[in-house]
Amino acid sequence: MSSDKETEVPFTQFACIGTGFSGIALGATIQRWYSISPSSIQFFDSQPCVGGTWSINQYPGAACDVPSALYSFSFERNPNWTRFLPPHDELRAYLTKVAEKYNLVPRMKFNTKVTKAEWIPSPTNPRWRLTILDLETNLTSHHECQFLFSGSGQFNSPRPLDVPGLDSFQGPVIHSARWDHSVSLHDKKVVVFGNGCTAAQIVPSILSSTAHLTQIVRSKHWIYPPVDAKVSPFAKKLLASMPGATLLQRFIVYHLAEADWAGFTLTPSAASFRSRRRKMAEKYMKTTAPEKYHPLLVPEFEIGCKRRVFDSGYLECLHSEKITLTNDKAVEILPHGVKMADGRVVEADVLVLANGFETNTPTTLLPVVGTGGHTLQEHWSETFPGPEAYNCTSLHGFPNFFLLWGPNTATGHTSAVMAIENGVNFALRVIKPCLEGRASVVDVTEQAEREFVERVQEALGKTVFTSETCNSWYTARDRETGRVWNGMTYPWSQARYWWDCMMIKKGDWVYSSSIVKRRRPGLWFTAFAVMASGGLLAWVGKNPNSRLALALAGSRFAAVVPVLRTWGLGVIGRKGLN
């Protein structure tokens, strides 16, 4: 592309992929912190509207499993939640309202997919160039930016069903993250694959409308008693009218949720904590679910290994005659049903896939090309056996690029929104010298990235997430080395992550500039100049022909100025500019 055409490519200082919690947190915070205009950022999203995860997941019963007081922005607390665990439509409305408040919606391009992001290491104008596909017109365009943020999240690629013959099925096939509301389930025979957090919400929500529902259990989960409830009008009025009430509420809920962290480490006290929680959950499950299903439901692994499930009517609905729960293996999808390992065929009009997402693999992300032409996928596959990032956000060789809700930010007990906010705040602290004009490019060092990642994996090895009895989507095993890699969960408390995002280690970053600037004279040069001036004046005072001496001294000084300028004044520090 010629330089004339390059100038025609739209440019913004910031670009963000995604318009969910991550993107909106970024757009709002650059205004709150640095008074940067919304026109300085451009968002791209393959979905048709604001919401991210809560635009994608619209299945029946979809709701968050984190209290609404905590599953929201700290800078936009909402006193008007209708439920303790907010439903998907209310979350999407909340996100839309925040985006509109900060005038971000006009900066969002929907139904557009970023198919490639490439770092252009120009000596005068280093930048990211994005290749954009318009999903409605199928036309391709480009966009350029100084700082690129990926806010597409970790749950954007549905996992393919590992049962052959899916293409032969003649009825509707619906994944939980691609729910088709035009498909009626009324009086239909439905087969649901999966029984995790999502399936536990879907099944009780659709069971009554089906002729019969067969749920194929693929793993077990610890199910806790329900915590959801309506927020009373009095409580909403109190939260809205009393100064500091929403802040106090958030503080209390945070500490109640964070208390579960005590059970994740492999210590005697944590084991005791898990034992108490296990007794509670096991008693609830056996009391609530039909006895015939206890062997299919109650796990053998330690509590905390997988994310807990708050019951939303699932266990009670298993008493219905309209549902059959089975853990037999499905071996083939037929045109009108599912063939099981024992040879029987389960008839089906509709298949519902609640089998989760691709996790712990770099292949789900868009092609991001950093310095030297290396892709993000190559960076992970050649250097590490799985996804990772320095402080969960940055990678060496990918300057001015930040992952929001990136590797190792997931938790098994509390709010992702806190981790997202911390990641945004961290990135904006890192690029502050660039925003102040003291640099234009920043990159984390290879050593800092490697040391951080090793610390994370070592710490995770001392948690229940990687214990021998645990097998979850948090972890993956390298086929060659056998090493267990956890690229999903954070090994420490959220208070620790907040602190780490507050404290920027300048030695871990390399700042550079494409603009030639002159430094102020260094301390050594100032001292030299003072001593030289003093000596010159003393020498002139002793010389009887002072004017001639002064002229001679001036000519000698002028001769060495270019040298001094080269040493002291004309040097630009392309590395370590702080």
Side-chain angles (χ1 to χ4, degrees), residues 119-190:
W119 175 249
I120 309 297
S122 167
T124 58
N125 184 25
R127 63 206 183 278
W128 284 98
R129 174 175 293 169
L130 312 182
T131 302
I132 314 297
L133 175 65
D134 189 313
L135 298 178
E136 294 181 332
T137 65
N138 207 33
L139 296 177
T140 298
S141 60
H142 293 93
H143 186 90
E144 295 180 348
C145 62
Q146 182 182 7
F147 303 106
L148 176 61
F149 288 77
S150 175
S152 57
Q154 300 182 6
F155 307 118
N156 49 29
S157 297
R159 180 184 295 126
L161 186 67
D162 56 352
V163 181
L166 187 62
D167 292 340
S168 69
F169 187 70
Q170 296 187 2
V173 179
I174 311 173
H175 191 278
S176 61
R178 303 291 187 269
W179 196 268
D180 187 350
H181 292 279
S182 67
V183 176
S184 173
L185 302 180
H186 179 69
D187 209 25
K188 300 288 180 64
K189 296 175 182 177
V190 179

Side-chain angles (χ1 to χ4, degrees), residues 53-80:
T53 293
W54 301 107
S55 171
I56 296 172
N57 290 280
Q58 299 183 25
Y59 58 82
C64 187
D65 63 353
V66 174
S68 51
L70 202 58
Y71 199 80
S72 51
F73 296 121
S74 63
F75 56 88
E76 289 294 337
R77 297 183 297 277
N78 179 22
N80 299 313

Side-chain angles (χ1 to χ4, degrees), residues 26-72:
L26 173 64
T29 306
I30 62 174
Q31 296 180 58
R32 294 170 45 244
W33 282 22
Y34 299 120
S35 300
I36 295 176
S37 169
S39 62
S40 296
I41 187 169
Q42 181 67 60
F43 298 90
F44 301 95
D45 202 315
S46 59
Q47 297 302 308
C49 61
V50 176
T53 293
W54 301 107
S55 171
I56 296 172
N57 290 280
Q58 299 183 25
Y59 58 82
C64 187
D65 63 353
V66 174
S68 51
L70 202 58
Y71 199 80
S72 51

Side-chain angles (χ1 to χ4, degrees), residues 507-529:
D508 291 350
W509 299 91
V510 175
Y511 291 85
S512 58
S513 177
S514 59
I515 305 171
V516 177
K517 299 180 181 179
R518 293 186 181 276
R519 282 185 181 173
R520 293 180 179 180
L523 180 61
W524 67 268
F525 179 76
T526 302
F528 173 79

Side-chain angles (χ1 to χ4, degrees), residues 5-38:
K5 291 184 178 180
E6 285 182 2
T7 59
E8 298 174 2
V9 176
F11 177 90
T12 52
Q13 188 174 24
F14 296 86
C16 182
I17 304 168
T19 60
F21 271 103
S22 296
I24 295 171
L26 173 64
T29 306
I30 62 174
Q31 296 180 58
R32 294 170 45 244
W33 282 22
Y34 299 120
S35 300
I36 295 176
S37 169

Side-chain angles (χ1 to χ4, degrees), residues 291-307:
E291 185 175 357
K292 62 180 179 179
Y293 290 144
H294 290 177
L296 280 69
L297 294 170
V298 181
E300 294 80 23
F301 54 79
E302 287 200 79
I303 211 162
C305 163
K306 300 181 181 180
R307 190 173 178 89

